[in-house]
Amino acid sequence: MANDDSKDLLPLDGHTTVRDPGTAVERSDALLNPGMPPHRLRVTDTDPRAARRAERVVVLLFYISLIGSIFAMTSYFAFPIKPNDLGSVRLNNVFIGLGLAFALLAIGIAAVHWAKVLMADQEGIDIRHPVHGDVQTQARAVEIFRTADRESGFNRRVLIRNGMIAAIAALPFPAIFLFRDLAPAAGTPAEAYSHTMWKAGTRLTKDPTGDPILASDVTIGSVFHVIPDGLLTAPDMLEEKGKAAVLLMRLEPGVLHVSPARKDWNYDGIVAYSKICTHVGCPVALYEQQTHHLLCPCHQSQFDITREAAVIFGPAVRPLPQLPITVDSEGYLVARSDFHEPVGPSFWERRGDYSA
Amino acid sequence: MTTAPDTYNYDPTAPADRRQSGGVTGWASRYVDERTGISYVVKEFGRKIFPDHWSFMLGEVALYSFVIILLTGTFLTFFFQASMAQVTYDGSYGPLKGLDMSAAMQSALHISFEIRGGLLIRQVHHWAALLFVASIGLHMLRIFFTGAFRKPRELNWTIGFVLFILAMAEGFTGYSLPDDLLSGNGLRIIAGMVQGIPFVGSWIEWLVFGGQFPGTAIVGRLYTLHILLLPAAVLAFIALHLVFVVTHKHTQYAGPGRTNDNVIGYPILPVYAAKAGGFFFIVFGVVMLMGAFFTINPIWTYGPYDPSPVSAGTQPDWYIGFADGALRLMPGWLGGPGGIPMEFTILNTTYSLNILIPVLVLGLFIVVVMAYPFIEAWITGDKREHHIADRPRNMPGRTAVGAAGVTFYAVLWAAASSDLIATHFMLSIESVITILQFSLFLAPVLAYFVTKRICLALQKKDRQIVLHGYESGRIVRLPGGEYIEVHEPVDEYERWKLVSFNEYEPLMIRPNAAGRIPVTERARAVVSRWFFEDRIEPVSSTELEVAHHH
Amino acid sequence: MATMNSDDTKRRKRGRRSPLASVALVLTGLLITGGAYALMTAASPANADVNMASAQSISQGKKLFAANCATCHGLNLAGTSSGPSLIGVGAAAVDFQVGTGRMPLAQDAPQAEVKPPVFDETQTLQMAAYVASISPGPGIPASSNLTLTGDATKGAELFRINCAMCHNVAGAGGALTEGKYAPNLMKTTPAHIYEAMLTGPQNMPVFNDANITPQEKQDIITALKVQNQAAGVGGFDLGSLGPVAEGLFLWIFGLGAIVAFTVWLTAKAN
């Protein structure tokens, strides 16, 4: 391996080593370092009045900081937060912040100014030593390891050593098992992703009020954000909503291309599609009523509602799942069944035969 | 230790003795030293030299923003409730009154609107977090472009890199805590991405979220990571990072008197302590000003998380942007809809390439960045220690590779705001994305060549200046009627800055002892030629003499 | 005069000497901004006095329509190849499109832009009266529906669910496909917001009264206005554009200021 340092080590004496420069070019006629330039004095080094002025500035800055702190404390009481009054929150925020900012900045500027203009301006030199230990130290370190090996028999008593390695290697696995109960013991993710609250006859209701929707209320160009009836009182409301949210649209007659298998999934030009993006799960809800395109605001996938939500742009691959709908005896929109495939992003266990 | 014995037998009650040995300061330091042995540390480090350059302060900005984050974060934990239990909001903010939300969101609103100074601390915390990651990024760019990662600092680059990743993790976990609509959709995206990982994805998501998304566990779990595990890891790595900085001593730029074997600068006590200490207050002050005057993350506008709504312009904080951008740029169908699908099913299992490819590309990018010091060391084969920081122009190959990397990152980053670019520059979102998709491949190549040419041109300019002096702008007419511009020679100190740099030549491959040329050496020769073929040599003393005789 | 002048200079000098001068300056600036915010949100809809049913209004409107709109929308509102039919769009659509300056269309663009209106309020309402007289459609909302006294909580929730994905939660607007965009709502009048929901201009879907009831529409408008007022609680809102604006601000101004400090800090003093 070209990175193995040891073979490139060329010891000169106990401390200094010359190392392989690789493909670096080392010239004999390179220019030489001219050494430190002459020291330039500051105004405050030569002019006592300037030094006194600088001193006054530093002192003043520290006092400004003091005033800033007092201002912040005063503001705490002078601009209290009054209940239901956001204006008071704004003032409280601004004035405490302003006081603290002045207190902090003034200390900082004062300290730096002090260091720059008044503290001794004498550059110092530290000598660097190679990072590695000298040859004797390195040899001693190697010797210590050898001694330890000899005294313990680490490389001699191979059975003991391998037994120890095996024991330690097995130890993390129980810890991995302990994490199993991070999630409920019952059920699998694939099962959970595969079903939603929608059942045959579940009414489509408005999000967030839960009012049922009459088919006649869905006029052309309308879009309704829909949740299943009963969701608002469901025990896992957010989890169910995350799968069951649906977008309901009515398109002009004739623009919908309906495949034979789905011919009774729409009701009179009213279609319902899952709102959960098939890419990574953002709610896809930007419906353009003239182009009939749905746009996801997170990663800009676009779906064409006239062609059963086929992807026309962006990182998504699969169309949005369609919810088959019809109306009940009272004219309210209801689901014909659950979705025929898992909604939302893809996952490993997702099968390929849902649409069949 | 060889300390004078009389110092150790010091009796504080003896006034004469006290005068002799330094008064109260002397007494106090001896008191501490006799119990800690700290005098050794002060002796070793008290007058340690630190070189002065603005770019050497960037790491300190990161350190200080982390201190600010710890201070303000502690205040926030006193009031924040990391619980997703549903409660009804009854605070000051009108448009949320009476709404059901998680206790986390409610307490974040309580901090903002009912705790005096609470909103300020929250905003300072969030601004400092953005600054933390940004300053780490800028610090890394400085290290990269000046070659300060070379031996013996390769391991410290790796440690710093881990800190960058940890900082992003800290940021993301913190961003998700208030359980507002914006961060909830961020979590939704992460969950969707994790789900797409083959074999284990759905189970990892299932375990992390404690069942179905969003569940009631995630905020509490992220909180534990955010305030316990991650900060502890950050602190440990910062400590390690700083130990190495002390061990290696700081790099310095080439300059008169500065060599690879010394450090020239100001001592820690008093100058650097005052400057660096003061700088902490300056950084804190700037962040405080931002907290006082600029809203950040107005969770009250976003509202509580609900899986149904989403806001236009849903973006992560800036440092996660490159990952979001990668997701946006990856087409679902190569060659447009009807082309090659980037997700398919084989034997009833789904392969989501539209998620895997961005994840793998980002992973590869990250690994290359982390491994770069080792890659460059392999190319040059240089085993020497380097303590003089390069001027970026003097390593055109590295600088060009860096510029290409920065451009790649920048395109991904821009892609995360493709929708805002579209609305603010009156473009269509489709064209913005298409342009960025092409730019992701072409712009880094362009940046590489342009940067390399610029570096070489600047090096040529340096040679001109060293050999023929500065153009003074003074035009003189010679007796013969010829007009010339007077060139002012550079002094030897200025000249040294321009001529003292490392140069490498392309590797000449030679057969090894067995008479063969290993494949690795061939590869190394190719990369080496690519890096060092175009090079400008520093002016030598011979050349300088020749030039002076003209 | 002379004494006053010297008084003035003295006061000014004192002001300049005070270390709090800059504090005072910043505070004044803040108070002015705060005041401006308060003023901005006080705007309310004002309807010109036009009798929408009178024959006179309708005939005036017809003349205006024939001269300015009929080229594209057809004399009988049936539409032409260059403009859609206006049958059934109602007075609300006319008031929205003409009142926000979107119509008449200035140029061929992905969507109609907001411009200073070409017609005054009376003319707009006369045209609306004419269009409504040909075929009925959604009417201009009564001012009792625009009182900004709705339930802000309900309104904000409805806004998040029905509107925020296009218009952004703060109403800052957002991108749509092919160069179209959902406009910023922060300066849109309550009447125009109401009419937009009712009529679904251009690519915006229609939110009829069965979907979002008149009361809910009023809640939404109220919530928008209350949210706008509260946007500045934490300071300047950077356009309410979210993390992108925050990140850019941090990099350019935050880190920029700090880098400027580092340059000063490490430069050798004169």
Side-chain angles (χ1 to χ4, degrees), chain C residues 9 17 127:
Chain C
T9 24
R17 238 186 274 125
M127 280 187 279

mmCIF file of all heavy atoms in Angstrom, chain C residues 9 17 127:
data_model
loop_
_atom_site.group_PDB
_atom_site.id
_atom_site.type_symbol
_atom_site.label_atom_id
_atom_site.label_comp_id
_atom_site.label_asym_id
_atom_site.label_seq_id
_atom_site.Cartn_x
_atom_site.Cartn_y
_atom_site.Cartn_z
ATOM 1 N N THR C 9 -28.612 73.113 17.753
ATOM 2 C CA THR C 9 -27.306 72.483 17.580
ATOM 3 C C THR C 9 -26.904 71.780 18.857
ATOM 4 O O THR C 9 -26.371 70.681 18.828
ATOM 5 C CB THR C 9 -26.217 73.515 17.219
ATOM 6 O OG1 THR C 9 -26.643 74.759 17.700
ATOM 7 C CG2 THR C 9 -25.955 73.540 15.746
ATOM 8 N N ARG C 17 -23.575 62.692 20.880
ATOM 9 C CA ARG C 17 -22.634 62.171 21.844
ATOM 10 C C ARG C 17 -23.181 60.926 22.549
ATOM 11 O O ARG C 17 -22.436 60.060 22.969
ATOM 12 C CB ARG C 17 -22.308 63.256 22.881
ATOM 13 C CG ARG C 17 -20.834 63.566 22.927
ATOM 14 C CD ARG C 17 -20.536 64.517 24.053
ATOM 15 N NE ARG C 17 -20.711 65.916 23.668
ATOM 16 C CZ ARG C 17 -21.505 66.768 24.322
ATOM 17 N NH1 ARG C 17 -22.178 66.377 25.374
ATOM 18 N NH2 ARG C 17 -21.593 68.013 23.938
ATOM 19 N N MET C 127 -69.987 46.750 -15.649
ATOM 20 C CA MET C 127 -69.731 45.581 -16.506
ATOM 21 C C MET C 127 -70.210 44.307 -15.826
ATOM 22 O O MET C 127 -70.783 43.421 -16.465
ATOM 23 C CB MET C 127 -68.238 45.469 -16.833
ATOM 24 C CG MET C 127 -67.833 46.408 -17.942
ATOM 25 S SD MET C 127 -66.131 46.132 -18.441
ATOM 26 C CE MET C 127 -65.272 47.021 -17.201
#
